[in-house]
Amino acid sequence: MLIPQKDIAAFCDILRAGGKTIVFTNGCFDILHAGHVRYLTKAKSFGDVLVLGLNTDASVRENKGPTRPINSELDRAEVVGALKSVDVVVLFGEKTAEAIIAKVRPDVYVKGGDYTLDTLPEAKIVQSYGGRVEFVDLVAGRSTTNVIEKIQQEAFIIKH
């Protein structure tokens, strides 16, 4: 379910009032692969409701470069939102997820194992109200960048 950013705080307040543990993670999720699925399944295991902050197209370009994303934000939202582990998708356009986290106020914030508390600016916000941060190991060899590189290599081989 895609929820507008203007409504996410009220939605999460309702969940909290119902006793639900809210988990939040964020990212681009451009070309979905097994690493994404495993990561999101693990993230969901930390609570009752997984809210996924999805980078807008503009913020993906800012973070990943002018050739990304491959898929539009609405297509990415539809695909990732169809996973059984993801309950809610909310788009955000900032370089970091700090502003959206301040609205969601998750009980648990989950990021990949390539981050640490020191390299994650959002961690301070989560910890300031008593939330916790969890890190999930990445799946070796599984990344959107790897998928794109493999497609480019195959296209090069076919051309030559």
Side-chain angles (χ1 to χ4, degrees), residues 14-140:
I14 292 167
L15 292 172
R16 259 188 295 286
K20 300 294 184 190
T21 299
I22 300 171
V23 179
F24 181 86
T25 193
N26 61 282
C28 303
F29 299 92
D30 192 2
I31 298 176
L32 208 59
H33 52 75
H36 286 137
V37 173
R38 293 174 196 168
Y39 171 82
L40 293 169
T41 299
K42 180 66 176 175
K44 172 69 180 255
S45 75
F46 292 111
D48 301 311
V49 178
L50 178 58
V51 177
L52 186 141
L54 187 68
N55 290 85
T56 60
D57 291 347
S59 68
V60 173
R61 277 189 292 280
E62 182 180 345
N63 291 328
K64 303 280 186 178
T67 62
R68 299 278 301 277
I70 302 298
N71 294 296
S72 73
E73 61 194 43
L74 292 179
D75 284 355
R76 290 182 288 120
E78 182 177 344
V79 170
V80 77
L83 296 174
K84 65 182 177 182
S85 58
V86 177
D87 298 296
V88 177
V89 177
V90 59
L91 296 172
F92 74 99
E94 297 76 24
K95 187 161 179 66
T96 71
E98 292 168 282
I100 193 70
I101 283 177
K103 291 178 181 181
V104 172
R105 295 180 57 87
D107 300 289
V108 184
Y109 179 44
V110 178
K111 282 303 277 186
D114 53 337
Y115 289 92
T116 66
L117 287 176
D118 293 332
T119 62
L120 196 61
E122 299 90 346
K124 289 178 182 63
I125 295 169
V126 174
Q127 292 171 327
S128 74
Y129 59 80
R132 76 179 198 270
V133 178
E134 295 284 349
F135 296 99
V136 174
D137 290 337
L138 299 179
V139 179

